[in-house]
């Protein structure tokens, strides 16, 4: 979800933006803000060639940065990619423009199941179109987890991480957890049989107690180190985003040092997140923004984004165009049963957010 990419090539957006801007200074423009390495390698050039619109493209690496810019207003952007989790706050603040669906002819390609999941954050699918999506789950080093817990290690269950006796053994080979209270605490609530989007402060004390019990065995809370550390074998298990684990799998395969990484979505259910195309309310180029969104909804345009980011897209017709590597990583596209059990995270009232922030501080500090 917010901030769930750990990819390199931070300068890609700036380089493309500069070169494209110089190429078509007088053309109509669209200003776009997206995660880095989250679009097909030739998509911006192709869009300009096919439409005559000049995309001015910037990238970010933190959902908090995006949210702050949009909440402040006058961001200068027309189209941004926003996680489902922050949509309610953006909608409530009047930061987003309703989509003119009559101009989005390629909406027909979007999976209705994912549109339905998105309704939890965008009730009538009025503001957002799902672009890329994934899950929170468990990335693990197959051999090291087997060595620590034996052949019957519960790798497909949250028990792997939330049962103290398991985590104590895994701590010997390294445990990484996202520094993301808005995701980790709801997962703990769900594990305890409580509503992941609970607004009851007492529930958060129970989740805090569970995580404090586990805290001595967690090597670190960090959202950016996990991919590299998993790939190198420096940690053996992580609670993290799907795209991070697939990136680690790819890196480990390329390094060919015998590090075997897998990703599991626990059978009890896990968060499903989506990064969505939205239009900024005060954007200067609404027509060009709609044209850009509609272009990204083409199957042949969105497939390369999935191939690069190793993250599923919401386009039904794009599946046949995906790389062999994407098809090989089975959990990039979970089964219908897994999706049905997945839950969508929602922002909480301010007083609950304060409770959660305080709990997270206690958990990280181990007190």
């Amino acid at each position: 979800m917010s901030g769930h990419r750990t990819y390199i090539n931070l300068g890609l957006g700036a380089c493309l933006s500069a070169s494209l801007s110089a190429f078509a200074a007088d053309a109509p423009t669209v200003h776009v803000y997206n995660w880095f390495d989250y679009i097909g390698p030739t998509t911006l050039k192709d869009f300009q060639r096919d439409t005559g619109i000049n995309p001015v493209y910037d990238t970010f690496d933190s959902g908090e940065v995006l949210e702050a810019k949009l909440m402040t207003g006058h961001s200068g952007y027309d189209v941004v990619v926003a996680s489902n989790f922050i949509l309610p706050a953006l909608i409530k603040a009047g930061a987003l423009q309703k989509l003119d669906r009559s101009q989005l002819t390629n909406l027909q390609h979007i999976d209705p199941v994912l549109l339905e999941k998105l309704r939890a954050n965008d009730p009538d699918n009025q503001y957002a179109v799902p672009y890329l999506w994934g899950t929170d789950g468990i990335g693990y080093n197959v051999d090291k987890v087997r060595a620590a817990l034996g052949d019957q290690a519960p790798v497909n269950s949250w028990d792997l991480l939330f049962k103290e006796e398991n985590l104590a053994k895994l701590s010997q080979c390294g445990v990484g957890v996202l520094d993301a209270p808005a995701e980790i605490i709801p997962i703990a609530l769900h594990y305890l049989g409580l509503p992941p989007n609970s607004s009851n402060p007492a529930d958060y004390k129970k989740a805090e107690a569970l995580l404090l019990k586990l805290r001595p065995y967690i090597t670190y809370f960090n959202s950016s180190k996990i991919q590299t550390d998993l790939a190198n074998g420096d940690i053996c298990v992580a609670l993290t985003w799907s795209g991070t684990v697939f990136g680690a799998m790819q890196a480990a395969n390329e390094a060919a040092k015998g590090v075997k990484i897998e990703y599991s979505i626990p059978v009890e259910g896990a968060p499903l997140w989506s990064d969505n195309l939205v239009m900024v309310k005060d954007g200067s180029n609404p027509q060009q923004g709609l044209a850009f969104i509609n272009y990204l909804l083409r199957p042949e345009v969105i497939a390369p984004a999935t191939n690069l980011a190793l993250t599923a897209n919401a386009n039904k017709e794009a599946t046949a165009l995906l790389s062999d590597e994407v098809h090989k990583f089975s959990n990039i596209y979970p089964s219908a049963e897994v999706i049905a059990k997945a839950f969508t995270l929602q922002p909480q009232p301010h007083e609950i957010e304060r409770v959660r922030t305080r709990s997270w501080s206690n958990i990280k500090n181990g007190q």
Side-chain angles (χ1 to χ4, degrees):
M1 198 170 296
S2 321
H4 44 273
R5 245 64 58 196
T6 316
Y7 304 129
I8 55 173
N9 206 0
L10 280 167
L12 173 67
C15 294
L16 283 170
S17 177
S19 61
L20 290 171
S21 298
F23 183 71
D26 298 327
T29 60
V30 61
H31 293 258
V32 182
Y33 202 34
N34 192 3
W35 294 99
F36 55 89
D37 273 9
Y38 220 46
I39 194 168
T42 67
T43 298
L44 297 173
K45 284 190 295 184
D46 295 346
F47 172 74
Q48 188 169 48
R49 179 198 65 210
D50 293 350
T51 67
I53 300 169
N54 174 30
V56 180
Y57 189 82
D58 293 329
T59 60
F60 58 87
D61 59 5
S62 160
E64 288 74 22
V65 169
L66 168 70
E67 186 174 6
K69 281 202 175 187
L70 295 185
M71 285 297 199
T72 304
H74 307 292
S75 66
Y77 297 108
D78 301 301
V79 175
V80 301
V81 176
S83 79
N84 60 296
F85 180 73
I86 67 171
L87 288 177
L90 295 177
I91 292 168
K92 185 177 180 182
L96 304 182
Q97 177 73 45
K98 287 185 181 178
L99 298 172
D100 182 351
R101 299 171 74 91
S102 69
Q103 297 196 50
L104 298 176
T105 54
N106 291 320
L107 271 175
Q108 60 181 318
H109 302 305
I110 298 299
D111 187 339
V113 173
L114 293 171
L115 278 173
E116 188 58 37
K117 287 282 185 187
L118 186 56
R119 282 177 176 269
N121 304 110
D122 176 18
D124 297 311
N125 296 129
Q126 289 184 307
Y127 292 92
V129 178
Y131 174 56
L132 300 185
W133 65 277
T135 51
D136 288 19
I138 301 170
Y140 63 98
N141 183 308
V142 175
D143 296 324
K144 288 189 175 184
V145 168
R146 184 179 293 133
L149 296 177
D151 292 339
Q152 302 306 310
V155 292
N156 292 318
S157 168
W158 288 121
D159 283 348
L160 186 75
L161 295 176
F162 286 101
K163 279 204 166 175
E164 188 175 4
E165 59 268 33
N166 292 334
L167 202 64
K169 293 174 182 174
L170 292 170
S171 68
Q172 302 304 308
C173 52
V175 178
V177 174
L178 288 174
D179 187 0
E183 295 168 69
I184 303 304
I185 292 178
I187 291 170
L189 288 168
H190 180 70
Y191 181 74
L192 291 169
L194 300 167
N197 294 303
S198 175
S199 54
N200 182 351
D203 289 347
Y204 287 87
K205 295 309 290 183
K206 294 173 185 174
E208 181 181 337
L210 171 63
L211 291 167
L212 277 172
K213 192 172 66 169
L214 302 173
R215 177 66 185 94
Y217 312 111
I218 295 170
T219 309
Y220 60 72
F221 293 91
N222 188 298
S223 302
S224 58
K225 288 176 60 176
I226 287 173
Q227 180 168 314
T228 303
D229 286 355
L230 264 181
N232 292 340
D234 294 334
I235 58 174
C236 62
V237 66
L239 198 174
T240 188
W241 301 299
S242 51
T244 294
V245 182
F246 293 121
M249 290 166 73
Q250 183 183 56
N253 292 345
E254 289 172 356
K257 292 182 179 176
V259 177
K260 187 181 179 189
I261 306 297
E262 294 288 353
Y263 177 68
S264 77
I265 304 168
V267 293
E268 298 91 348
L272 182 150
W273 49 260
S274 61
D275 287 320
N276 309 280
L277 298 161
V278 298
M279 289 185 59
V280 181
K281 184 69 172 282
D282 58 13
S284 303
N285 308 286
Q287 288 305 116
Q288 289 78 10
L290 285 166
F292 187 75
I293 291 175
N294 202 44
Y295 190 81
L296 290 184
L297 298 183
R298 294 186 189 180
E300 70 277 12
V301 172
I302 203 166
T306 287
N307 293 340
L308 177 69
L310 298 177
T311 303
N313 66 68
N315 193 306
K316 304 190 305 294
E317 278 71 48
T319 309
L321 307 174
L322 300 175
S323 67
D324 291 342
E325 186 171 35
V326 170
H327 286 297
K328 186 173 66 184
F329 294 159
S330 58
N331 271 338
I332 290 182
Y333 283 90
S335 68
E337 293 77 20
V338 170
I339 293 173
K341 290 181 77 170
F343 52 90
T344 308
L345 299 178
Q346 298 168 10
Q348 295 302 314
H350 188 60
E351 59 272 18
I352 294 296
E353 293 285 6
R354 274 208 310 273
V355 168
R356 189 157 66 185
T357 300
R358 207 160 42 239
S359 285
W360 192 244
S361 178
N362 293 341
I363 292 158
K364 286 178 68 178
N365 293 328
Q367 60 189 27

